[in-house]
């Protein structure tokens, strides 16, 4: 016979009630959703993406930068403004196709709140448009391509490291006044190398300096003998060189082996004698004078604490400029996030806040140039490699204050 | 410096560079010529030699001990590789060997990084040769003069071994016709293993010798490979004479290129090789193409 | 059948996957075509080239330079492919005269020369290459929307793959395989072996140039690294892993390589060790590549 009319009505009522309840709950949920979600986002982890080389010739830089960041985040117990800090590291292998791919992953798939890196300027230039177009905040923690602070600047991109111009420009005048006026300049044969030397020339020539020779060995050269012979021939009293990594080791070692140090003073951009190459250079680096925004021997209290904490955390390893870059990047992130109470949804506000961040960094008073979003180097230190109780180190012997990139062609906000 | 003195100075530079190239490539040409094996891991074996040398110097303090022991260690590793991975592939042809040895490049780079760390390392020159010497206005590190002497002595020794000993005769026979040599009752498998080990040892040796001049880093295995291959091709596969001639010529071409045509220094070695392959494909002293 | 289903899945992928997986797939398709064109040379004509990246780079750079001026199909595809064909003709004229390790080294030398030239040429962006390349607008259509670009890419890749398949199955393809098997015999029978090799070289180079142009359109930039011998090496690995002489295997190899490289490195710093071991184990135990393994050719003695 089926169900009676009575039963049917009860069932109908139950069904209707269930539908209504479910419906109202759903509607309420939909209306309340945005609020609930936002409150949730406050507790959601802060995702910081790192596009750095962890394999290949510059892996040591990637490691140093990461360690600088880890030091700061660990100090804050990996929390800021009630949110847990999640660091997502991606190896770009110093290859642009891989770097771009990893950037896409971090932005599209991991949805990082803040992106940092890279080491390779080519990767930086390649990711620039994606970052700008997707309005992702990028804090450049190494790559020095001048263009990022000039014609390809973006309101979403900040740089805590340096522009290639910064360590070199003050050195020109200093070398002309304090070392020699007849100088042979050399750098690897690529645009970044030439840019660095151009910056040097900017203040070298007006200070009365004379370039008696100029040579651009290929990147990755292992035998500098022919160039060293030419240097001797030129009669230069000093050499200004930009080399980094294995090039710096090979050049400085061979410069010494050829007995040139007796008659020619070797100077250069800081990367020539940074801690990543100094141990391999050994005594050959003694007396080499370079310009850099950092040396672990700086005597300000922030740096002394930085060096002590870093060595404690990383088995006695001495921090270098790259670790300082990582440290500053993490500090910028922390301070900006605290200032907006952890709200990363309002990106425009976050960008404004980042631009205004100011704090005591191991390198001095840290602040961004609002015109270019590039760091204003509180000082470029002129350092000489000497034996210290801590081994071979870059000892500061002089400094130039307030070095800011000219930022030609940059019109922010862009 | 007068012009002739300048030429002399650069020629001396070219000579030391060329000898280094010779030491780097001679092991590869033997392996190529004898075993017909595309050993892309040659650069990795060079790297292992440099790192083994580093470790021995760190423990025993003696460059000369490192020069003796490191090549032996690398030679052993080479023999192990040959027995375990390469032997199954002889029948399979060049492509599989490419993939295998490519895999070895990746493997060794990461292993070295794991064991020794990724920092740049350097081998100090031996006390005896750590100064510089001036010959006719050219100041040269005495170590480079040692390298030149060492390399030329090695060349003579190798020539003696290959041309004047029974082992050398077997190797030459194997290079010419492996099947026939086996047919004559010689344990060709064992000879192959030994030759590969020998080639590996030579690669390791060049890693130690080049150590004081160049620096060591895990990715160096892949970087050093191309110059080695180029010298082998220019000199002629399997030819000791060719390896020496090719490396000396390339050494001078590269050095004078850097001195006089600096913007071409990236291209120079490839242009030289391309010219040789197009004009004389078997290389300077290789066998006419089989 | 399986092929059509796969094509449908690939085409519809953006509908149910996020941006990053789609980008990975698109890169796999592009590198897959690049590797496939290399397979034509290696697997069918028996010419192992370590200079294939030269054409990828030429196609990429020409597309990058022209698209900045006028974004269209002609500038984005036709001219880059034609440029690569021309370069392949010149390099081929020299290279096809030699074989074996000499062919390998000569092709390597040419691509390294391109690397050196682009690396030092400031008008080509020097070491940072060319960035900010716009996508072409075929017939006025804007390729910005992801699904539209995806369709465009899939169509072109499919066409290129079909073209290669036709070449391989044609009488020309048979002659190539004959040359691979026994060059002497083919000469004796009367075939102009050198000319066949050259044509194969140019066809392969043209498709490689096309893949380079597509890469620039996908990513918006190109650097001299595209010319490196290691780029050719990676394509070589893709062909071998997928299965030499199978054409389709090249795409599988590209997928395996890119996925291994991208995914493994996201999880561990020891990814190079894993990759190296994978190659070695592959060679020893899966000699026919992925395709071979699928067909049952597995084991040490296979």
């Amino acid at each position: 016979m089926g169900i009676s009319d009575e039963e049917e009505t009860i069932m109908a009522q139950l069904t209707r009630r269930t539908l209504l309840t479910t419906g109202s709950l759903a509607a309420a949920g939909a209306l309340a959703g945005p609020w609930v979600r936002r409150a949730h986002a406050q507790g959601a982890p802060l995702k910081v993406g790192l596009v750095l080389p962890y394999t290949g010739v510059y892996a040591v830089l990637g490691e140093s930068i990461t360690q600088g960041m880890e030091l700061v985040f660990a100090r804050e117990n990996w929390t800021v403004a009630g949110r847990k800090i999640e660091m997502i590291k991606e190896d770009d292998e110093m290859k642009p196709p891989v770097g771009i791919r990893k950037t896409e992953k971090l932005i599209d798939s991991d949805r990082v709140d803040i992106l940092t890196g890279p080491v390779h300027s080519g990767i930086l230039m390649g990711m620039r448009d994606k970052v700008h177009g997707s309005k992702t905040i990028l804090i450049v923690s190494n790559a020095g391509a001048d263009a990022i602070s000039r014609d390809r600047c973006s309101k979403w991109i900040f740089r805590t490291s340096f522009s290639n111009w910064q360590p070199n420009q003050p050195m020109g005048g200093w070398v002309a006044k304090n070392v020699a006026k007849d100088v042979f300049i050399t750098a690897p044969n690529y645009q970044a190398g030439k840019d660095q030397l151009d910056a040097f020339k900017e203040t070298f020539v007006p200070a009365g300096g004379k370039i008696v020779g100029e040579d651009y060995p290929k990147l990755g050269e292992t035998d500098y003998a022919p160039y060293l012979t030419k240097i001797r021939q030129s009669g230069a009293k000093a050499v200004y060189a930009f080399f980094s990594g294995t090039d710096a080791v090979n050049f400085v070692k061979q410069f010494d082996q050829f007995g040139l140090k007796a008659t020619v003073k070797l100077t250069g951009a800081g990367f020539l004698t940074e801690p990543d190459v100094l141990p391999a250079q050994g005594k050959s680096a003694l007396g080499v004078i370079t310009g850099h925004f950092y040396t672990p021997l700086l005597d300000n209290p922030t740096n002394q604490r930085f060096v002590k904490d870093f060595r404690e955390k990383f088995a006695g390893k001495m921090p270098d400029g790259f670790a300082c870059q990582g440290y500053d990047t993490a500090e910028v992130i922390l301070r900006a996030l605290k200032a907006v109470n952890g709200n990363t949804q309002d990106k425009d506000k976050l960008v404004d806040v980042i631009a205004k961040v100011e704090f005591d960094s191991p390198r001095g008073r840290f602040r961004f140039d609002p015109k270019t979003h590039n760091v204003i180097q509180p000082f470029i230190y002129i350092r000489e490699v000497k034996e210290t109780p801590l081994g071979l180190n870059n000892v500061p012997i002089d400094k130039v204050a307030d070095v800011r990139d000219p930022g030609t062609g940059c019109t922010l906000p862009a | 410096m007068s012009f002739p003195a300048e030429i002399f100075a650069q020629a001396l530079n070219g000579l030391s560079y060329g000898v280094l190239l010779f030491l780097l490539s001679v092991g590869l040409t033997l392996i190529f010529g004898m075993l017909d094996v595309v050993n892309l891991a040659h650069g990795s074996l060079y790297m292992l030699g440099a790192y083994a040398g580093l470790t021995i110097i760190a423990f025993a303090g003696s460059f000369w001990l490192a020069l003796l022991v490191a090549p032996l260690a690398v030679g052993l590793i080479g023999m192990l590789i040959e027995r375990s991975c390469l032997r199954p592939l002889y029948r399979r042809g060049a492509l599989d060997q490419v993939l295998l040895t490519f895999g070895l490049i990746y493997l060794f780079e990461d292993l070295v990084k794991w064991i020794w760390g990724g920092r740049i390392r350097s081998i100090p020159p031996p006390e005896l040769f750590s100064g510089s010497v001036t010959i006719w206005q050219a100041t040269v590190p005495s170590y480079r003069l040692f390298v030149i002497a060492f390399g030329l002595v090695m060349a003579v020794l190798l020539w003696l071994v290959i041309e004047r000993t029974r082992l050398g005769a077997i190797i030459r026979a194997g290079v010419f016709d492996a099947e026939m040599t086996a047919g004559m009752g010689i344990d060709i498998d064992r000879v192959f293993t030994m030759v590969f080990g020998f080639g590996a040892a030579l690669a390791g040796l060049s890693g130690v010798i080049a150590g004081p001049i160049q620096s060591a880093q895990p990715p160096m295995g892949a970087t050093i490979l191309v110059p080695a291959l180029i010298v082998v091709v220019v000199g002629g596969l399997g030819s000791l004479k060719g390896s020496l001639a090719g490396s000396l010529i390339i050494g001078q071409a590269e050095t004078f290129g850097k001195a006089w045509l600096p913007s071409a220094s990236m291209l120079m070695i490839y242009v030289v090789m391309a010219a040789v392959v197009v004009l004389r494909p078997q290389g300077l002293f290789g066998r006419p193409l089989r | 059948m399986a092929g059509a289903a796969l094509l449908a899945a690939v085409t519809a992928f953006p509908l149910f996957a996020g941006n990053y997986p789609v980008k990975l797939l698109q890169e796999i398709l592009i590198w897959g075509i690049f590797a496939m064109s290399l397979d034509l040379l290696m697997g069918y004509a028996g010419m192992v080239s370590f200079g294939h990246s030269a054409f990828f780079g030429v196609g990429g750079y020409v597309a990058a330079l022209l698209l900045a001026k006028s974004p269209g199909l002609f500038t984005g595809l036709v001219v880059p492919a034609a440029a690569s064909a021309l370069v392949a003709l010149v390099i081929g004229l020299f290279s096809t005269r030699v074989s074996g390790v000499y062919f390998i080294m000569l092709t390597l030398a040419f691509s390294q020369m391109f690397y050196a030239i682009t690396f030092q040429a400031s008008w080509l962006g020097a070491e940072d290459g060319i960035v900010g390349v716009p996508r072409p607008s075929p017939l006025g259509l804007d390729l910005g929307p992801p699904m539209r670009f995806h369709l465009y890419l899939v169509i072109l890749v499919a066409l290129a793959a079909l073209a290669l398949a036709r070449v391989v199955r044609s009488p020309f393809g048979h002659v190539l395989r004959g040359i691979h098997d026994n060059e002497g015999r083919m000469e004796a029978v009367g075939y102009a072996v050198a000319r066949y090799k050259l044509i194969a070289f140019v066809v392969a180079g043209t498709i490689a140039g096309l893949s380079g142009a597509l890469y620039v359109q996908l990513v918006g930039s190109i650097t001299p690294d595209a010319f490196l011998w290691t780029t050719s090496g990676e394509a070589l690995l893709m062909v071998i892993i997928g299965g030499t002489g199978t054409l389709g295997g090249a795409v599988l190899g590209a997928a395996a390589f890119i996925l291994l490289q991208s995914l493994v490195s996201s999880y561990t710093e020891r990814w190079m060790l894993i990759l190296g071991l994978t190659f070695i184990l592959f060679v020893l135990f899966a000699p026919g590549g992925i395709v071979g393994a699928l067909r049952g050719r597995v084991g040490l003695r296979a």
Side-chain angles (χ1 to χ4, degrees), chain A residues 397-408:
Chain A
I397 58 175
D398 205 347
K399 59 192 189 206
V400 174
D402 204 48
V403 180
R404 50 179 92 196
D405 192 275
T408 15

mmCIF file of all heavy atoms in Angstrom, chain A residues 397-408:
data_model
loop_
_atom_site.group_PDB
_atom_site.id
_atom_site.type_symbol
_atom_site.label_atom_id
_atom_site.label_comp_id
_atom_site.label_asym_id
_atom_site.label_seq_id
_atom_site.Cartn_x
_atom_site.Cartn_y
_atom_site.Cartn_z
ATOM 1 N N ILE A 397 89.779 49.923 6.160
ATOM 2 C CA ILE A 397 90.794 50.949 6.369
ATOM 3 C C ILE A 397 90.268 52.343 6.029
ATOM 4 O O ILE A 397 90.891 53.344 6.342
ATOM 5 C CB ILE A 397 92.076 50.677 5.552
ATOM 6 C CG1 ILE A 397 91.746 50.586 4.056
ATOM 7 C CG2 ILE A 397 92.769 49.413 6.016
ATOM 8 C CD1 ILE A 397 92.981 50.436 3.177
ATOM 9 N N ASP A 398 89.116 52.413 5.375
ATOM 10 C CA ASP A 398 88.556 53.713 5.026
ATOM 11 C C ASP A 398 87.102 53.489 4.634
ATOM 12 O O ASP A 398 86.662 52.360 4.478
ATOM 13 C CB ASP A 398 89.342 54.343 3.867
ATOM 14 C CG ASP A 398 89.221 55.857 3.857
ATOM 15 O OD1 ASP A 398 88.338 56.402 4.579
ATOM 16 O OD2 ASP A 398 89.993 56.515 3.131
ATOM 17 N N LYS A 399 86.351 54.574 4.444
ATOM 18 C CA LYS A 399 84.978 54.381 3.994
ATOM 19 C C LYS A 399 84.451 55.614 3.281
ATOM 20 O O LYS A 399 84.912 56.738 3.490
ATOM 21 C CB LYS A 399 84.075 54.038 5.179
ATOM 22 C CG LYS A 399 84.065 55.086 6.256
ATOM 23 C CD LYS A 399 83.391 54.519 7.512
ATOM 24 C CE LYS A 399 83.192 55.642 8.515
ATOM 25 N NZ LYS A 399 83.132 55.139 9.891
ATOM 26 N N VAL A 400 83.418 55.351 2.426
ATOM 27 C CA VAL A 400 82.726 56.418 1.722
ATOM 28 C C VAL A 400 81.265 56.297 2.125
ATOM 29 O O VAL A 400 80.687 55.214 2.080
ATOM 30 C CB VAL A 400 82.866 56.231 0.190
ATOM 31 C CG1 VAL A 400 82.042 57.251 -0.563
ATOM 32 C CG2 VAL A 400 84.325 56.325 -0.206
ATOM 33 N N ALA A 401 80.657 57.409 2.530
ATOM 34 C CA ALA A 401 79.306 57.323 3.094
ATOM 35 C C ALA A 401 78.216 57.506 2.055
ATOM 36 O O ALA A 401 78.426 58.152 1.021
ATOM 37 C CB ALA A 401 79.157 58.363 4.186
ATOM 38 N N ASP A 402 77.064 56.955 2.371
ATOM 39 C CA ASP A 402 75.816 57.243 1.673
ATOM 40 C C ASP A 402 75.911 57.048 0.152
ATOM 41 O O ASP A 402 75.830 58.004 -0.611
ATOM 42 C CB ASP A 402 75.416 58.691 1.989
ATOM 43 C CG ASP A 402 73.939 58.887 1.812
ATOM 44 O OD1 ASP A 402 73.177 58.044 2.334
ATOM 45 O OD2 ASP A 402 73.539 59.838 1.141
ATOM 46 N N VAL A 403 76.092 55.800 -0.277
ATOM 47 C CA VAL A 403 76.234 55.558 -1.707
ATOM 48 C C VAL A 403 74.895 55.087 -2.262
ATOM 49 O O VAL A 403 74.421 53.995 -1.949
ATOM 50 C CB VAL A 403 77.319 54.493 -1.967
ATOM 51 C CG1 VAL A 403 77.473 54.243 -3.454
ATOM 52 C CG2 VAL A 403 78.634 54.961 -1.362
ATOM 53 N N ARG A 404 74.271 55.905 -3.110
ATOM 54 C CA ARG A 404 73.018 55.487 -3.687
ATOM 55 C C ARG A 404 73.085 55.418 -5.205
ATOM 56 O O ARG A 404 73.684 56.264 -5.862
ATOM 57 C CB ARG A 404 71.846 56.357 -3.232
ATOM 58 C CG ARG A 404 72.026 57.853 -3.357
ATOM 59 C CD ARG A 404 70.784 58.575 -2.899
ATOM 60 N NE ARG A 404 70.829 58.922 -1.491
ATOM 61 C CZ ARG A 404 69.758 59.273 -0.777
ATOM 62 N NH1 ARG A 404 68.560 59.264 -1.326
ATOM 63 N NH2 ARG A 404 69.882 59.592 0.490
ATOM 64 N N ASP A 405 72.475 54.427 -5.775
ATOM 65 C CA ASP A 405 72.500 54.228 -7.218
ATOM 66 C C ASP A 405 71.810 55.403 -7.905
ATOM 67 O O ASP A 405 70.777 55.864 -7.446
ATOM 68 C CB ASP A 405 71.793 52.908 -7.575
ATOM 69 C CG ASP A 405 72.037 52.505 -9.021
ATOM 70 O OD1 ASP A 405 71.288 52.985 -9.904
ATOM 71 O OD2 ASP A 405 72.981 51.741 -9.259
ATOM 72 N N PRO A 406 72.366 55.896 -9.000
ATOM 73 C CA PRO A 406 71.763 57.052 -9.676
ATOM 74 C C PRO A 406 70.349 56.791 -10.182
ATOM 75 O O PRO A 406 69.553 57.709 -10.295
ATOM 76 C CB PRO A 406 72.714 57.340 -10.842
ATOM 77 C CG PRO A 406 73.529 56.122 -10.991
ATOM 78 C CD PRO A 406 73.606 55.480 -9.654
ATOM 79 N N GLY A 407 70.029 55.543 -10.477
ATOM 80 C CA GLY A 407 68.653 55.227 -10.851
ATOM 81 C C GLY A 407 68.165 55.903 -12.118
ATOM 82 O O GLY A 407 66.985 56.205 -12.254
ATOM 83 N N THR A 408 69.080 56.110 -13.056
ATOM 84 C CA THR A 408 68.694 56.800 -14.296
ATOM 85 C C THR A 408 67.638 55.998 -15.045
ATOM 86 O O THR A 408 67.828 54.843 -15.359
ATOM 87 C CB THR A 408 69.909 56.949 -15.235
ATOM 88 O OG1 THR A 408 70.924 56.058 -14.761
ATOM 89 C CG2 THR A 408 70.444 58.339 -15.231
#
